[in-house]
Amino acid sequence: MKLTADNAIFNFCGDHAPALKITPPATLDIETLDCFSNQLRNPEDKMEQLDWDRINPATGPIFVTGAEPGDTLKVTINRIDLNEQGTVCCLENEGALGHLIEGSHIRIAPIENGMVKYLDLQIPVRKMIGVIGVAPAEGAVNTGTPGPHGGNMDTLLITEGASLYFPVFAPGALFGLGDCHGAMGDGEIGVSGLECPALVNLTLELIKGKAPAYPVLENQDAFAIIVSQPTVDGAIALATELMCRFLEERLSGYTRPEIIMLMSLVGEVQISQVVDPEKTVRFVFPKKYAPHIQF
Ligand code: CA
Ligand code: ZN
């Protein structure tokens, strides 16, 4: 099963007609455009030529049969195949340093043998998915904005081998993804990663009930709660509190103060991105200190 990139949405919304209906569990390929809808693929391309109405496409939405508000959609990323090149940009008044530059700038970087060739440098490929989510609780949220529904979380941990648990807000969940990166540092300070078209293979499963407040990520090593808020401080506060409650529900035998001390000893606040309309932070708890816990 494959969903092609011409099924592009520019907001997550419960009113969208499904591009595809699946019955979970289901494994499928999803083709994605880059965050510029592949409009900047040649070194001579200029950001001035961009049609800004086609920024941050997500491929979807996928209707998950049986998914109802209050349920949890589990998404496991099996594989990300990137196009052979990516585009990185920075522009005036965008990102953390937009006040220090004039105009807009792009560079094209080829990807070969697991390395990104940026200028005369070789950077190891770090695949990730920038935009991934479901329809929000209310209205339409543009695909450039992250939130409880996921969306533009730009989080390095969203990569091959990771599973995400999303709260379902709309019947069918209406899942979509896009904005894959071949490289990005925490913060995404220049407003762009290495933006790449991609083919993503993933598995969708439905868990009845249990909807988390914000997306929860699980990989081989850790659980992470990914929270987006207007400020980094606000996101840190909420991610930390949600992880405390997550652990409290699963670690019987420890008091709340003992859990907080454990989080202080081995947990980590990590910053995903500081350049989107809401800022995204994750609280990461290593599973080796609670190997039996499950979502
Ligand atoms: Ca992004
Ligand atoms: Zn991106």
Side-chain angles (χ1 to χ4, degrees):
M1 205 167 8
K2 180 176 173 178
L3 187 63
T4 53
D6 50 310
N7 297 285
I9 51 172
F10 296 90
N11 56 58
F12 287 98
C13 176
D15 294 338
H16 284 314
L20 178 72
K21 284 192 181 190
I22 62 107
T23 301
T27 295
L28 70 160
D29 288 322
I30 301 181
E31 184 185 54
T32 61
L33 303 173
D34 70 23
C35 75
F36 309 111
S37 286
N38 299 7
Q39 296 177 83
L40 306 174
R41 300 287 295 157
N42 299 302
E44 60 272 18
D45 286 340
K46 297 265 179 279
M47 292 206 76
E48 288 75 21
Q49 77 197 43
L50 268 187
D51 173 0
W52 286 91
D53 290 340
R54 290 193 288 144
I55 294 300
N56 276 316
T59 306
I62 295 172
F63 186 98
V64 179
T65 304
E68 293 294 335
D71 291 344
T72 302
L73 180 66
K74 180 181 181 184
V75 180
T76 299
I77 302 160
N78 304 315
R79 200 182 153 113
I80 303 171
D81 290 313
L82 299 174
N83 189 272
E84 71 279 0
Q85 69 169 39
T87 306
V88 57
C89 78
C90 68
L91 61 163
E92 193 172 331
N93 296 329
E94 289 288 338
L97 300 176
H99 59 295
L100 298 183
I101 52 171
E102 287 179 11
S104 60
H105 308 265
I106 73 165
R107 293 292 181 270
I108 307 289
I111 301 174
E112 271 176 26
N113 303 320
M115 302 297 280
V116 173
K117 189 174 183 309
Y118 173 72
L119 308 177
D120 58 345
L121 303 171
Q122 299 279 340
I123 302 171
V125 168
R126 222 170 167 183
K127 302 174 191 180
M128 55 169 280
I129 299 170
V131 172
I132 184 165
V134 296
E138 278 179 9
V141 176
N142 72 64
T143 42
T145 301
H149 70 295
N152 195 14
M153 296 183 285
D154 284 319
T155 294
L156 277 170
L157 300 183
I158 303 177
T159 188
E160 290 173 339
S163 294
L164 282 154
Y165 301 88
F166 290 103
V168 174
F169 296 110
L174 298 175
F175 171 78
L177 69 86
D179 185 31
C180 290
H181 297 166
M184 191 193 94
D186 267 335
E188 200 187 19
I189 63 102
V191 91
S192 139
L194 186 72
E195 308 294 332
C196 300
L199 186 67
V200 179
N201 181 272
L202 47 77
T203 301
L204 300 174
E205 297 167 80
L206 180 63
I207 299 168
K208 292 308 283 180
K210 293 182 77 170
Y214 272 82
V216 174
L217 182 142
E218 180 179 9
N219 60 27
Q220 215 180 344
D221 304 321
F223 276 104
I225 298 182
I226 305 171
V227 171
S228 303
Q229 289 284 299
T231 66
V232 169
D233 283 359
I236 291 172
L238 184 52
T240 306
E241 180 175 332
L242 290 174
M243 180 59 84
C244 179
R245 296 186 187 286
F246 180 89
L247 293 174
E248 214 170 25
E249 286 166 11
R250 288 162 179 82
L251 287 177
S252 55
Y254 295 141
T255 65
R256 177 177 291 175
E258 285 169 340
I259 286 172
I260 292 171
M261 288 184 273
L262 177 62
M263 287 172 62
S264 193
L265 292 173
V266 303
E268 284 186 21
V269 170
Q270 297 176 355
I271 291 173
S272 293
Q273 60 76 24
V274 296
V275 295
D276 294 332
E278 304 247 318
K279 316 306 171 204
T280 305
V281 156
R282 53 191 190 262
F283 192 95
V284 181
F285 182 82
K287 287 201 288 195
K288 68 177 170 185
Y289 298 105
H292 59 283
I293 67 170
Q294 294 185 325
F295 172 77

